Amino acid sequence: MKKLAIIIVALLFLYAQPAFAEALWKMDKELTINSISVSEDGERMAVGTQDAVAVVLDRNGKPLFEAQANNVVTDVALLNDGRLLVASDDRNVYMVDGQGNNVWTHTFNKMVKSLVATGDGQLVAITLYRSDAVYLLDLQGEVVREIPIGIYMDHIGLSPSGSWIVVGAADQYVYLLNSEGETVTKTPMAGAIKAVSVADDGTMAVGTSDYKLSVFDRDGQPIGSRIMKDQLTSVHLDAAGAYVAAADFAGNYAILKTNGSLLWSAKEPGAGQQVKFSGDGRRLYAASDKGQVYAYEIDGLLASAKAQAARDQAWKIGLIAAGAIALTGAVYMLQRRKPQVLARLWKDKFSYLMLVPSLSLLCVFMYTPAFSGLFHSLYDWNPVARSEFVGLDNFKRIFADPYVGKGAYNLLILIATGLVKAIVPPLIVAELIYHLRNKKAQYWFRTSFVLSMVVPTVGILLIWQNLYDPGNGMINQLLEALGLGSWSRPWLGEAKTALWALIFINFPFVGILQLLVLYSGLIGISEEVIEAAKMDGARTPRIIRSIHLPLLAGQIKLLVVLAVIAIVQDFGTILIMTGGGPMDSTYVPALQMYFAATKFNDLGYASALGVTMFAAIFILTIVNMKFIKTEAD
């Protein structure tokens, strides 16, 4: 077993990846970089920042000069001769020479939303805020042509040669225009368009709000697509249209083939904002909302991606080999130490064979998801894309998550009150039924309680939701009738009362399973013991305290374990009744796990929360087994 553990640890270290790349350049302030432009030779690049400054950098990230605007820089375009075009929210387009001196400034009647230009500056195109046309400029900033689109535009892209213009419009169509301004294709998209790019051959890349990266040819026919990890913020095709780069809000950067095959991906701090290939296609530049610029050598990235694929394969083979070694070792040890066990197994082989279907279904639908959650809690997990190993980062997030902290506090209150509700009221009712002298009365009371099980849980919750209604709810109306109108309040709508309103759901808290378990324990107590106690002068309270409770310790232990598991795992009641609000007053860790998986698509973090909840349940179960003693103990 020690050797097997060493093998598994070695495989984990083999699979581990470096955390973050070193930034090529970083702003003094951690502000968003809204745009980047790269020279055709890749030796210089320009960045447009939220700090109203455009900065030109050399290949090594050394600032060459800056251009100051009067508001946020929305876009930049670096020309081959060193000049820089800058668009800003101040409604201006600036031309700056290679030393950072202003050449001219042209003011428009609306904010300039996007700016693109060819390397020689022969084609410069802009879009304005809430405008339905593309404007072509000359090198003096004058509008020389207006291309009407007929709908507000969100994004614009230009091929390196200037042969194609691609426009992502508010009507969720992508328009491909030729150099004459004629619409060649109009391609519908399933979501809002967040980023566009076009190559010299007319190949288009589009990122949409449904996390999808799609690639089309010049005729609008799909070439490939891929669901990314988060909403895309930028896409860029290389000049030849062979590769496409993408950035998303989660800080993921990726290079893909145009058919959608993932070649490389990395996660950097902050939200991804921009990606751009150099003109020669040998470098990829990326920028984030933390004011950082990264530079990646394409050849090195593709080589590292192949090495990572090899590590993935080694990891899978290693796990299979470790499992085979463990199984073989177990069989060998069993054969060596207890050969009679294998003989018995072989003798009853048909009986065990009959258990195979049930065990197979149990493994597939119970154990496999559980082990999958444990495995993927160590990853930034994306089922439809490449998952990245992050080690214990997801677990570190749990301890820093304020919602989990508040949820843990609420959960402790729910566990304390839930255990009381799970044991005390059912025990009282079970004792009352047990002490009825008439057997028929016992039967009918027992049956009447069990019949309530046919009412769906959701139906019960909706009834209580109506009872708590602040306007027409029965609770507030009853208070009004009793002259206690000042006590009326929106029970589920106030942070001070919401959690306690949830706790009082199902009053008087007679759980049917708990009642039946305790009642079955009572009727299993020998009548001779009870009669002997009565002959010694013991009355009913003494019999309950000294005989019933000690002999029901096993049932109570079972109910405590089941109650803890149910309370820790349950989020359905809170989701239906309050959704975790108001604010975070009814939040619990299980609800955070649900939201992380379904609302935020953060499956690795959700898996880590699930593993943590399992660990908490396991510890509480051990504590329960330690402190509640039964006769068998």
Side-chain angles (χ1 to χ4, degrees), residues 420-432:
V420 174
K421 293 191 299 181
I423 303 299
V424 177
L427 178 61
I428 293 173
V429 174
E431 288 284 358
L432 291 174

Side-chain angles (χ1 to χ4, degrees), residues 530-543:
I530 304 298
E531 292 298 329
K534 289 181 178 179
M535 291 177 64
D536 289 339
R539 296 183 180 275
T540 299
R542 179 63 185 274
I543 292 174

Side-chain angles (χ1 to χ4, degrees), residues 69-84:
N70 295 319
N71 206 328
V72 173
V73 174
T74 56
D75 227 330
V76 291
L78 191 59
L79 305 184
N80 293 337
D81 59 7
R83 290 182 294 176
L84 176 67

Side-chain angles (χ1 to χ4, degrees), residues 545-563:
R545 185 176 71 254
S546 302
I547 298 177
H548 288 183
L549 291 180
L551 294 179
L552 288 176
Q555 286 82 354
I556 293 174
K557 179 184 288 189
L558 170 65
L559 294 179
V560 167
V561 171
L562 293 179

